[in-house]
Amino acid sequence: MSKIQQRSLYLDVADRVRALIEQGDLAPGERISEKQLCERFGVSRTPLREALKVLASEGLIELLPNRGARVVRLTLKMVKDTYDLMGALEGLSGELACQNISDEGIRAIRVLHDEMLRHYHERNLPDYFRVNQRIHEGILAASANEVLQETYSNLNQRVKRVRYSKKMTDDFWRKAVQDHEHMILALEARDGRRLGQILRDHLCNKLEVASLAGVVEDESLLDVAHS
Amino acid sequence: MSKIQQRSLYLDVADRVRALIEQGDLAPGERISEKQLCERFGVSRTPLREALKVLASEGLIELLPNRGARVVRLTLKMVKDTYDLMGALEGLSGELACQNISDEGIRAIRVLHDEMLRHYHERNLPDYFRVNQRIHEGILAASANEVLQETYSNLNQRVKRVRYSKKMTDDFWRKAVQDHEHMILALEARDGRRLGQILRDHLCNKLEVASLAGVVEDESLLDVAHS
DNA sequence: TGGCTGTATTTTGAATTCATAATACCTCTC
DNA sequence: GAGAGGTATTATGAATTCAAAATACAGCCA
């Protein structure tokens, strides 16, 4: 028995373009040729163009009337602004999680937390990042607010390609872990206000922004952008 | 000399459909016929369908594969979740506004605040609402965070058609004004943390949700929704 | 009469075609 | 040889066409 419900073509195309952007196969500022992508995906221009419209409304690309599309170049300010926003959303997710999460849910987060600590003590950065991310995702899921999750996911998508720059000073790392210690305690106490506060201020965001100074070239994107 | 740069057709169509939804000309749950809208707008299906894709990604309509589109029916939970989110965003806007707003900006908000107070004392609800909204917009603008503004605007668009239900008990109203008194003081003191906290908890949100019990029919939308 | 099956119609999904704006290139002039 | 102007080419915007799925409807049978 095969799958009955077929996803629309434009959704698949949108996913594939998103992946290309995320992986850097389509560089920031790069002009997107419709024909080229059509041939690459083996679809006609109609679904491709529909996909581009969606991606534009998601903020991943920008459409220039009569001149096609190009991948959005992230400015440092855009990334900073987006992180501020994501911080606020994480804060909310913490508050809501404390209201809605089950006791088992808390225990599951605690398990992840302890695992993360082990990776920290072993100075295993990749695994630390991975588990760290799962903790934040877990809290987000526990918020039981789908609009929040969807919004967060969209914002995250926008900055994914510059995230996880892997630079982490000992000092920052120590403070991040300390934040997490306070977080798990607040969660276990179901102190939403406190967890929210911690998450909003969680220096991951600020840290990442700081470390981006080298990754994103501030306003240098304007050299291509004067449309 | 006429306008040179012409907006894309699909953008105009999207705006017009948004307006139809907001005004209630397209009812929640109502099936959207492509042909009908094409004739109404005098465009072909291509730009209309592109517009529908965008509106779907904005959360205003939903696309059912091979069965067209329909206006999203808001559940009470969706509205509640959205308001929670908007509260968090307003909180952030307050924090940022305190960092970025100019002294003139603060004075401008103070003027609006005093005007709002007058409307309150005269029990002029429509003008109160109007000025109230301008205050919140002013703070949002002062945040100088475009991603935030854009995100807020999208969420607001989703719930616009059920907002401003005009029901306001004296008690709620008094508390709302009281919140605003604290807000303007926090702003003038540039106390971002406090202003953020007030805005997050500002009972407008909770109030509106409460008053919605009659406007949005809780889960009754499911009668159409089992796709 | 009520329900089911098969056909006709309508509607959506996607490709193609046509029109127009932008770009590239070539020539002509200075 | 450099730059301006004009034509050819290419790419995009939008309409149309074709294909496939869903819906409506009619006839059939119990």
Side-chain angles (χ1 to χ4, degrees), chain A residues 8-10 43-47 66-67:
Chain A
S8 289
L9 198 46
Y10 86 97
V43 300
S44 78
R45 281 176 58 218
T46 306
N66 291 313
R67 266 182 296 165

Side-chain angles (χ1 to χ4, degrees), chain A residues 10-11 13-14 17 46-56 61:
Chain A
Y10 86 97
L11 288 175
V13 172
V17 176
T46 306
L48 176 76
R49 286 171 57 81
E50 289 173 347
L52 292 182
K53 303 284 186 290
V54 171
L55 295 174
I61 66 173

Side-chain angles (χ1 to χ4, degrees), chain B residues 158-204:
Chain B
R158 295 195 204 186
V159 294
K160 242 181 198 168
R161 57 194 145 109
V162 296
R163 244 189 141 169
Y164 311 123
S165 47
K166 313 295 181 214
K167 293 196 297 184
M168 184 81 122
T169 69
D170 268 1
D171 194 43
F172 273 137
W173 199 355
R174 190 176 48 72
K175 281 179 185 154
V177 170
Q178 195 176 317
D179 278 356
H180 269 268
E181 289 285 9
H182 293 141
M183 279 167 46
I184 190 74
L185 291 177
L187 180 66
E188 285 170 341
R190 290 186 184 273
D191 186 341
R193 180 140 306 204
R194 192 154 120 254
L195 179 55
Q197 190 65 54
I198 297 169
L199 278 164
R200 272 193 296 278
D201 296 339
H202 189 34
L203 45 66
C204 270

